[in-house]
Amino acid sequence: MDVPEQTSTWLSKCYTSSIPAYSCQGNNTRCCAIFYGRTVAASLSILGCCLVLFMILLYRKYRHFAHRMILYLIVPSIIISLVFVNPYRLKDDSPYCQISGFLINTCTFTQRIQILCIVIHLLVFTVKERRPKYIEHVFVSVFCCVPPLISSVPLIGKDSHYGYAGDWCWIKGGSKYENFLRFFCMYFWMLLFVMVEFVCFCIVIVKVRKHIKYIQAVGINGSEDKASVKRYKKQIYPLLCYPLVNMLLAVLTTSNRVQNWMYPDEPVFVLYLLHSIIHPFWGFCNAMMYFISRDTLREFNPSSVWKQLNSRRNTRTSQQHLVGEPTERGTEPSAVTNPVSGTVGDLETSYME
């Protein structure tokens, strides 16, 4: 299939004669819409994820469980975006394409398990109002071990079943066995996780609404109520939007996967376009959920960021000066003012659980 002569130079880069334009049905403009749309989405995701990482590290929010869960969610989003940021076609069965397919399947699977873990955490906390001691260790063990293990199944055999699959690298669908691998390694778990997340999230919403109504009716009249509100602010509210947004995105991307699985010879361009944009855009959406908080927006203010950077530098300098110096009797360590809230206290422990 040759590139039309009237096609401009940047459009001709989307066209590869050695591989058929599967999803765009030979239409070069459609191919470019998919490739460059996904490149822009991936670039925005990388930018958003880097900003989230910067904020978490700058304010040391990784000391808080909820922010650590967000941090875990950001890592596979960055990897997926880095894989999708290349707008050009990859050669079928090339090693780079096979590695990209493995990473896409593993990181997508990891994201889905992480969202499921977040929903389970929200459900357990709203029921018992406390977080089990070792639940984070269980979560990390599950989403670090299970996705690579299941994603390794297509590698079993004489030849790898990862390769060029439509408009990106994934499990090839050229045989019934490869279609079964697609179902086992992605479709089945995506649909199962979405259904479980939906049921658990509905229970969480009911519990949170009851808690809000109770606080509004009774008010905060004691240390127990204050502690309950504080726990909800730390453990529930920062994570509440993530399952809802990710379930919506999962449905949109899964619809194309299911249609492609049921009708492999009849691709739908609109579904492929949405899939190619939404899949790498996942990280940017998670970043927007992070910055939806008013406290985070105040912290993201340039003056607050600059004050925090100066505070970190001054604290580090003072600690270096105090090394080896005897502590005077009756003196206490000097407090540091939080540049965002204005309160006096140790920034090291301001986000501790």
Side-chain angles (χ1 to χ4, degrees):
M1 192 177 293
D2 298 328
V3 183
E5 294 182 359
Q6 66 272 19
T7 305
S8 61
T9 304
W10 72 273
L11 284 176
S12 63
K13 294 180 180 179
C14 304
Y15 222 90
T16 302
S17 59
S18 59
I19 302 175
Y22 175 73
S23 63
C24 42
Q25 300 171 346
N27 188 316
N28 196 47
T29 304
R30 290 185 175 184
C31 289
C32 287
I34 290 177
F35 296 147
Y36 286 95
R38 123 185 133 181
T39 304
V40 172
S43 302
L44 290 175
S45 290
I46 294 173
L47 176 61
C49 291
C50 289
L51 288 176
V52 173
L53 287 175
F54 173 76
M55 294 294 293
I56 291 177
L57 296 177
L58 177 63
Y59 290 95
R60 298 180 181 178
K61 294 187 178 184
Y62 49 80
R63 296 171 177 265
H64 196 293
F65 173 78
H67 291 276
R68 287 198 300 273
M69 293 300 294
I70 297 173
L71 187 63
Y72 299 147
L73 190 62
I74 288 297
V75 174
S77 299
I78 292 179
I79 297 175
I80 290 177
S81 299
L82 289 174
V83 173
F84 274 97
V85 78
N86 182 12
Y88 307 112
R89 293 188 168 217
L90 301 173
K91 294 183 179 180
D92 193 16
D93 295 334
S94 65
Y96 184 82
C97 187
Q98 294 179 15
I99 294 173
S100 299
F102 175 81
L103 290 176
I104 288 174
N105 195 85
T106 302
C107 293
T108 303
F109 205 124
T110 303
Q111 281 183 325
R112 296 312 314 156
I113 291 185
Q114 288 173 339
I115 294 299
L116 180 63
C117 291
I118 289 176
V119 174
I120 292 174
H121 159 68
L122 295 175
L123 179 63
V124 172
F125 189 86
T126 51
V127 172
K128 297 186 176 182
E129 286 206 11
R130 66 182 182 88
R131 179 169 59 88
K133 186 176 181 180
Y134 297 105
I135 193 170
E136 183 177 1
H137 298 83
V138 175
F139 286 166
V140 173
S141 300
V142 169
F143 62 68
C144 284
C145 298
V146 175
L149 185 64
I150 293 181
S151 298
S152 299
V153 174
L155 298 174
I156 299 175
K158 184 178 180 180
D159 298 322
S160 171
H161 294 281
Y162 285 111
Y164 190 78
D167 283 294
W168 47 79
C169 297
W170 189 46
I171 302 173
K172 296 178 291 186
S175 63
K176 292 183 178 180
Y177 178 67
E178 289 177 343
N179 286 328
F180 167 76
L181 289 177
R182 287 185 172 189
F183 178 79
F184 173 75
C185 295
M186 184 60 65
Y187 303 143
F188 172 74
W189 303 105
M190 290 273 284
L191 295 174
L192 178 63
F193 290 165
V194 168
M195 289 188 292
V196 174
E197 290 165 10
F198 179 77
V199 174
C200 294
F201 191 72
C202 290
I203 299 175
V204 170
I205 292 298
V206 172
K207 293 287 185 179
V208 171
R209 289 189 64 183
K210 286 184 179 179
H211 180 266
I212 294 175
K213 288 182 179 180
Y214 170 78
I215 295 299
Q216 290 176 345
V218 179
I220 303 176
N221 300 318
S223 59
E224 293 185 1
D225 290 341
K226 290 181 180 179
S228 177
V229 171
K230 188 176 181 180
R231 285 195 298 268
Y232 266 74
K233 286 184 178 180
K234 283 187 175 183
Q235 301 286 348
I236 299 297
Y237 298 147
L239 298 175
L240 206 55
C241 294
Y242 288 88
L244 183 62
V245 173
N246 280 269
M247 278 190 289
L248 177 61
L249 296 177
V251 170
L252 293 174
T253 55
T254 305
S255 61
N256 181 53
R257 295 185 184 275
V258 173
Q259 192 278 337
N260 183 244
W261 173 57
M262 296 178 64
Y263 305 99
D265 297 327
E266 300 177 10
V268 179
F269 169 71
V270 175
L271 293 179
Y272 262 94
L273 181 62
L274 289 175
H275 190 173
S276 62
I277 294 176
I278 292 175
H279 199 168
F281 204 60
W282 221 309
F284 183 79
C285 294
N286 289 330
M288 290 300 99
M289 292 303 101
Y290 183 79
F291 285 102
I292 203 173
S293 168
R294 292 181 179 178
D295 293 335
T296 304
L297 289 177
R298 282 199 300 268
E299 293 168 350
F300 191 60
N301 185 281
S303 60
S304 299
V305 172
W306 182 250
K307 288 181 181 179
Q308 179 67 8
L309 288 172
N310 288 332
S311 177
R312 291 282 297 272
R313 184 171 58 252
N314 294 336
T315 302
R316 190 179 298 110
T317 303
S318 61
Q319 289 176 351
Q320 291 175 354
H321 289 165
L322 289 174
V323 173
E325 295 183 6
T327 304
E328 297 181 6
R329 183 175 298 178
T331 60
E332 296 181 356
S334 60
V336 181
T337 303
N338 190 316
V340 179
S341 61
T343 59
V344 177
D346 186 6
L347 286 177
E348 295 282 344
T349 59
S350 60
Y351 290 99
M352 289 285 285
E353 294 177 331

